Amino acid sequence: MKTPVFGSFDGAKPEHQLGPMQTLDFPMKQFRPDEEVDFCIVGVGSAGGVLVQRLAHAGFKVIGLEAGPFWDTERDWVSDEAGSHNLYWNDLRITGGEDPITMGENNSGKGVGGGSVHWAGFTPRFHPSDFHVLSSDGLGADWPISYDELRPYYELLEKEIPVSGPAYYPWGDPHGYVYGPHPLGGVGHMLVKGCSALGIRTVAGGPVAIIAGSYKDRPHCIYRGFCIQGCKVGAKQSTLISHVPDAIRYGAEIRAHCMVGRINMKGGRVTGVTYFDEEGKEHVQRAKVVIVSGYAIETPRLLLNSACPGFEQGLANSSGTVGKYLMVQIGNVVLGRFDEPVRMYKAPPAHALTEEFYETDPKNDFVRGFAIQTVGPLPIAFAKQMMAAKGAWGWGMRRVMMDYNHWCALGVLGEILPWEDNRVALAEATDRFGLPVAKVTFRMHENDKKVEAAGVAKTTEVFYAAGAQEVVQESRYAHLVGGARMGNDPGSSVADKWGRTHDIPNLFVCDGSLLPTQGSANPGLTIQALAARTADYLISNARDLLSQHPEQVTDEHPPVRHNLSPDGTSGHGVPRLKSKRAQN
């Protein structure tokens, strides 16, 4: 054939690639260096990506400053476990305490899209009970909002991402998903098999932020298992591909390799930020409103590093809670060996789960609970788990690795409550810009340890019920949240229910650091839903917030703005009508 079916090949395209079919083929606006913008967003990750898209779509002048690169997925990403470590926040952080947290790959990202670039994509909602833990269980904290206030944003983001999932999801607030589920992989099969034998309900095929059918200019999942290494296929959602292109289309500027070192103040109001470019040169960006979306470590670090006269203990810290109540989730990986091959890599890692043990059970000697989810470690991660779980080394490790296809991994996702002594502070060490780095102190409390033990025991029981011959486990954590929590009381929280800091009327926080509690659900969907909700508040109150008197805010009940979704959100993929059961 002399002429290809789709025409002659005309060489490589110069456009910025966000997947094999998705490009940024339109120019990005460039604001003048001395120009004051309406909104400056610090961090373009899960929350920042949604915020910059919403505010630009609404017509405001908005800049997103991101410490990491603006990924070109075809040039920057590789289908290789070891080669994907540059997706994580690998800069120096000091970690300690009785039960120190591992920093880096499991809990934070660096680059446009943030941690959503390398999340597994599980998108369960928080339960209604998560919003009143203190009132119901006597520990933890209550949110300043209810589940009902966030529900419409869950529904909206599940369409925008979009989320593939089952027709009926029975836990929390029972609901269904518009986009159909994925097929069941080997790990999911073992979870369903073991749980069914024990009478435990499960769901399969999601909910997961990976498309099972083509969607706009994103192809469907090809089930190769590289979800947490950055999805070169483009089937898995990150705000890099779902929201940032629309933000740029509507006039936002994304400045990559820009590390914000200080929020600037004058007369009790923020005036913008000081940041460092890739060469270390210092710049000032003026803004009428600053929104910090740096996630649970970098957000408290920036607020503390911005201490100045009148705010000697850090910005928005009159309560003394900036950096406190940091949380991770119990994330133990339990592994079972089976006679038949499982092939953990042959499916999205996140595609089946049970939340049957999520809520407080009065029969237990602890409050709250855990979920059991599928995970699919690739060989390097599997080797690390086997070294921790079995002490495998040398020839013993080689024998285990040759058996890789017969092993199956499930994750315990358990709730750790907010404790004041788990916190982010500033260390004496500094980064390459001369900024004090974060020092993280963490320990497990008695209730947390009991949840962990119960989760591992139940998951082990599930494995044996499914026919496993051997079961081992690795202790680990997952999902950082907290550190700048929201609340109604300015004496015990950093921000109000919209993310506006109690102390400074034109300074907002919007990311996972806001969460007062974390449940046993992956937080990514909730973080993006909160960002869409905050954006509606900012838009409704923009006239006052962008004026000389930002404290004069009047609209506490903004509408849910469906018209601000990224262009083409509806009408693509494999939509499914709700069943009568799901509607009820």
Side-chain angles (χ1 to χ4, degrees):
M1 181 182 292
K2 294 183 178 179
T3 304
V5 174
F6 295 108
S8 60
F9 179 69
D10 56 359
K13 300 290 185 182
E15 298 95 340
H16 195 102
Q17 293 287 128
L18 297 180
M21 295 165 52
Q22 187 175 7
T23 61
L24 282 177
D25 52 4
F26 39 85
M28 181 165 64
K29 182 177 178 61
Q30 303 278 318
F31 290 99
R32 299 189 315 273
D34 62 342
E35 188 171 357
E36 183 182 49
V37 297
D38 297 323
F39 298 96
C40 176
I41 299 167
V42 181
V44 188
S46 290
V50 173
L51 283 168
V52 72
Q53 180 269 328
R54 287 295 201 281
L55 296 172
H57 204 128
F60 296 101
K61 295 193 294 184
V62 55
I63 283 179
L65 298 176
E66 169 55 46
F70 197 139
W71 302 113
D72 183 307
T73 63
E74 293 299 290
R75 296 177 176 88
D76 298 333
W77 293 1
V78 293
S79 295
D80 176 80
E81 226 180 325
S84 299
H85 279 255
N86 61 339
L87 301 178
Y88 315 137
W89 191 290
N90 295 313
D91 297 10
L92 176 65
R93 288 164 170 171
I94 309 300
T95 182
E98 291 182 19
D99 305 291
I101 299 169
T102 300
M103 295 287 117
E105 62 188 80
N106 193 42
N107 50 37
S108 53
K110 189 174 184 181
V112 176
S116 68
V117 163
H118 65 85
W119 68 331
F122 253 135
T123 49
R125 303 178 186 180
F126 280 14
H127 290 202
S129 66
D130 287 319
F131 295 80
H132 50 79
V133 172
L134 179 61
S135 296
S136 298
D137 297 313
L139 290 173
D142 289 342
W143 289 50
I145 63 173
S146 68
Y147 171 86
D148 289 340
E149 293 176 69
L150 202 55
R151 180 197 288 118
Y153 292 97
Y154 279 142
E155 294 169 348
L156 186 59
L157 266 296
E158 285 164 357
K159 294 176 183 176
E160 290 182 15
I161 284 175
V163 172
S164 300
Y168 182 70
Y169 194 85
W171 301 288
D173 173 27
H175 59 281
Y177 291 91
V178 173
Y179 289 85
H182 291 267
L184 193 64
V187 180
H189 170 71
M190 293 305 179
L191 174 65
V192 172
K193 182 180 178 182
C195 285
S196 297
L198 297 171
I200 300 168
R201 293 180 298 176
T202 58
V203 296
V208 63
I210 302 171
I211 50 177
S214 62
Y215 178 86
K216 298 196 289 187
D217 50 3
R218 289 166 54 192
H220 61 78
C221 181
I222 61 173
Y223 305 115
R224 67 196 190 120
F226 273 90
C227 302
I228 64 174
Q229 282 72 36
C231 178
K232 281 180 71 71
V233 174
K236 189 191 73 172
Q237 186 260 3
S238 68
T239 55
L240 172 71
I241 66 171
S242 63
H243 287 80
V244 167
D246 197 67
I248 294 172
R249 183 178 290 110
Y250 281 91
E253 181 183 356
I254 309 296
R255 291 183 191 165
H257 294 294
C258 293
M259 178 66 186
V260 176
R262 184 172 64 255
I263 301 168
N264 301 323
M265 297 286 300
K266 184 178 180 181
R269 305 286 183 268
V270 300
T271 60
V273 300
T274 297
Y275 69 92
F276 300 90
D277 63 22
E278 194 170 9
E279 286 74 41
K281 185 178 178 181
E282 188 173 301
H283 303 267
V284 172
Q285 175 58 55
R286 296 190 301 127
K288 296 176 181 176
V289 174
V290 172
I291 310 168
V292 185
S293 299
Y295 203 35
I297 303 295
E298 294 305 311
T299 286
R301 178 192 175 201
L302 177 58
L303 294 174
L304 295 171
N305 271 330
S306 299
C308 61
F311 298 93
E312 287 79 8
Q313 304 305 312
L315 299 189
N317 198 25
S318 64
S319 63
T321 57
V322 168
K324 294 182 180 179
Y325 304 103
L326 182 74
M327 292 169 282
V328 289
Q329 286 171 318
I330 295 158
N332 297 47
V333 176
V334 185
L335 303 108
R337 191 202 180 278
F338 292 84
D339 269 339
E340 65 269 37
V342 178
R343 297 187 178 90
M344 290 188 286
Y345 59 92
K346 293 292 288 182
H351 75 276
L353 77 158
T354 178
E355 289 185 342
E356 203 77 349
F357 311 100
Y358 191 109
E359 311 285 353
T360 296
D361 185 339
K363 292 182 292 186
N364 294 330
D365 62 347
F366 57 85
V367 301
R368 307 305 293 159
F370 58 90
I372 304 174
Q373 303 180 339
T374 57
V375 292
L378 294 179
I380 294 176
F382 175 73
K384 178 179 73 71
Q385 289 160 359
M386 283 297 163
M387 186 165 56
K390 290 172 66 73
W393 192 256
W395 177 246
M397 177 65 81
R398 291 185 66 184
R399 290 183 61 183
V400 169
M401 294 306 296
M402 286 188 288
D403 215 19
Y404 169 75
N405 279 335
H406 289 267
W407 283 89
C408 176
L410 296 174
V412 177
L413 197 65
E415 180 168 357
I416 292 177
L417 295 170
W419 305 103
E420 187 174 5
D421 57 344
N422 291 334
R423 62 177 303 178
V424 179
L426 297 180
E428 294 182 5
T430 58
D431 63 12
R432 70 186 185 96
F433 305 112
L435 303 170
V437 302
K439 177 183 178 182
V440 181
T441 304
F442 196 85
R443 75 179 179 99
M444 297 267 282
H445 290 242
E446 271 314 299
N447 194 83
D448 311 324
K449 294 175 182 178
K450 290 177 179 179
V451 172
E452 178 188 29
V456 171
K458 182 57 67 175
T459 307
T460 300
E461 185 183 356
V462 168
F463 264 133
Y464 282 127
Q469 303 156 322
E470 179 185 3
V471 180
V472 298
Q473 71 100 24
E474 177 206 23
S475 297
R476 61 189 283 278
Y477 299 118
H479 307 133
L480 283 163
V481 295
R485 69 180 184 180
M486 59 179 172
N488 290 323
D489 179 11
S492 60
S493 59
V494 174
D496 67 12
K497 64 181 181 179
W498 302 105
R500 184 159 81 153
T501 61
H502 294 300
D503 298 348
I504 305 169
N506 62 337
L507 174 63
F508 283 72
V509 172
C510 187
D511 56 26
S513 68
L514 280 178
L515 274 58
T517 58
Q518 59 177 341
S520 297
N522 312 62
L525 174 66
T526 297
I527 291 169
Q528 293 185 43
L530 283 170
R533 178 177 176 274
T534 292
D536 281 346
Y537 175 83
L538 293 168
I539 293 165
S540 288
N541 293 286
R543 179 176 178 179
D544 293 322
L545 290 170
L546 301 178
S547 72
Q548 295 299 312
H549 300 284
E551 68 280 358
Q552 297 176 358
V553 171
T554 57
D555 191 351
E556 285 285 333
H557 303 283
V560 180
R561 291 178 167 82
H562 296 270
N563 64 326
L564 293 183
S565 293
D567 288 347
T569 287
S570 300
H572 297 271
V574 282
R576 188 233 328 274
L577 295 175
K578 289 184 178 180
S579 67
K580 289 183 178 179
R581 187 179 184 188
Q583 289 173 336
N584 293 334

